[in-house]
Every structure is written in structure tokens, then in C-alpha cells.
Amino acid sequence: MKIATYNVNGVNGRLPVLLRWLEEAKPDIVCLQELKAPQEKFPEESIRAAGYNVIWHGQKSWNGVAILARNLDITEFGRVLPGDPEDTHSRYIEARVHNIHIGCLYLPNGNPVPGPKFDYKLKWFQRLTDHAQELLNKNIPVILTGDYNVMPTELDVYKPERWLDDALFRPEIRAAFAGLVAQGWTDAVRKLYPNERIYTFWDYFRNAYGRDAGLRIDHFLLSPQLVENLVAAGVDRHVRGWEKTSDHAPVWIELRDL
């Protein structure tokens, strides 16, 4: 089973790219982030015509997450990260697909630092950590995947010294990610490629993609029940080179069937 995560950076504007990639890669499950579309403007008809069932949580102009499943049923469990009833951002959606519990997330960027956006990021991360522990306590197969907006180590950023004061690389954020993983999660890409420089995002500016000046900020965290089923992982980085594409590339893993 092939499972992917992809920050599309605007699902309607990038729809031709998304549909082209779906046809080429044929993932079984896809988690999308940064839809940038209100609930009623999500391109449901086009997604279903491509062979995917879908649930989504939209928001006008910003955020937005979705879970797609090819010829598989989706059972939704929630579309709000617990812990703050006043948080109106569409950044989380959770469902079960093919015996796997999946949380699709778009963690806040957090810039500038210091400031309210960084404070919100830290609080959101704590809410995610609390909920992740609850999911682990269920002893079921779980995947938490999406755009975490964090580079966990220096290996995950092209020039670490330039990012020391950025919200994606601040010590507090890296510590929060490390604390989340320490609950018992496995970073799937690092499990298979512990020492390789792998990126999932390249800025639109300064020819970042051409220079391979990238970041690894899109991650798969697997619960203990899934680690032995992990057989492959990768980044479809060529998609970043397509015309009118997202600044992220799709990231994927393959699991042996449960």
C-alpha cells in the first residue's frame, strides 16, 4: 500500500498538477495540505473522477486539509485537533482507511519569531503531542503525516546556519518534534535513510529548486504497529519541477498490507 502526503499550495490553482501526479504515482491514500479553498470550493468532482474517495476540511484563502483514498472507504473521526475550542484554523483531519488510523496535519509556520504566531505554533504542537499520546494509547496502527513546518536536524536543511532564528528551525520547535517522536513514533523517511540529505520543499525564490537548496518539512510518523510493515519511502521531487507546481513535492511510503 502506497501512502502519500502533499502540500499542494492551493488545490484549485494546482489541480492539473495534482491530477497528473495522481495518475502517474497512483497512491492508495493521499493526505493534502494547504488547500486554500473554502469547503464548498473543493474540487470534489475532479478528485472523484480520478478514482478517489475524499473527505476535506476547507478554509477560505488559507490552510485546509484533505484525505483521499483510491477505491477504499474513508471513515472520518474528526476535523479539529483537540485542545482549543476557539481555534478556527483548518489544519487537521483524522480518519480510518484500510485498517489504518490517519491524522493529516498542517502545522503552523510560526514566523515571525518572537510573536503571537510562534506562540500559536508552540501551543498547536503541544496539542498535537497530547493527542498523539492518546492515539498511541489505543494500540492501533496510526500514521501522523503532513506538513510539520519543522526541520528536525541539520541534515534536513541546506544551510542550517541561515535558519537558526526561523520558526521552522528554532530549538523549541526541534525539541517539540523530538519529544513527539520520543513517545514511540518512527520517522519513516529517517528510518530507511538515516544519513541521507533528503528535501521535500524548495522555495520559489533564488532558484532554490535548481540549486537543490531545500528543506525536509513534510514527515511521516508511524506508530509501533506499522514499523515492521514499512518497506519503502521517497520523495517525488521531479513534481516540484513541473509548470505551475507547488513549492512542496509529494512524499510517500509503502507498507506491506496489514
Side-chain angles (χ1 to χ4, degrees), residues 208-253:
Y209 179 67
R211 295 186 295 116
D212 197 25
L215 313 172
R216 189 176 79 98
I217 58 178
D218 305 272
H219 308 295
F220 277 92
L221 296 189
L222 309 183
S223 69
Q225 294 82 4
L226 289 172
V227 177
E228 295 303 316
N229 296 77
L230 178 66
V231 294
V235 180
D236 288 344
R237 58 175 292 153
H238 66 283
V239 177
R240 176 61 180 83
W242 291 353
E243 186 176 356
K244 297 182 179 179
T245 193
S246 171
D247 42 10
H248 294 248
V251 186
W252 54 268
I253 62 171

Side-chain angles (χ1 to χ4, degrees), residues 93-186:
I93 192 165
E94 186 174 300
R96 182 177 295 140
V97 183
H98 196 66
N99 299 321
I100 301 175
H101 206 89
I102 298 176
C104 170
L105 62 100
Y106 176 42
L107 209 138
N109 177 286
N111 281 303
V113 180
K117 291 184 177 181
F118 188 63
D119 295 339
Y120 172 62
K121 181 172 188 171
L122 288 171
K123 291 176 182 177
W124 206 96
F125 223 137
Q126 185 58 55
R127 288 163 56 200
L128 176 63
T129 301
D130 293 342
H131 186 57
Q133 185 62 61
E134 294 177 357
L135 292 174
L136 282 180
N137 292 343
K138 296 178 184 294
N139 293 313
I140 58 175
V142 183
I143 296 174
L144 292 177
T145 188
D147 180 356
Y148 281 74
N149 267 319
V150 55
M151 295 89 79
T153 72
E154 292 189 354
L155 191 61
D156 301 308
V157 50
Y158 72 102
K159 285 192 175 180
E161 67 276 8
R162 293 188 177 181
W163 292 83
L164 297 178
D165 293 324
D166 192 278
L168 280 67
F169 201 54
R170 287 281 302 178
E172 304 96 315
I173 296 303
R174 294 163 66 188
F177 186 86
L180 173 60
V181 173
Q183 290 178 334
W185 301 93
T186 294

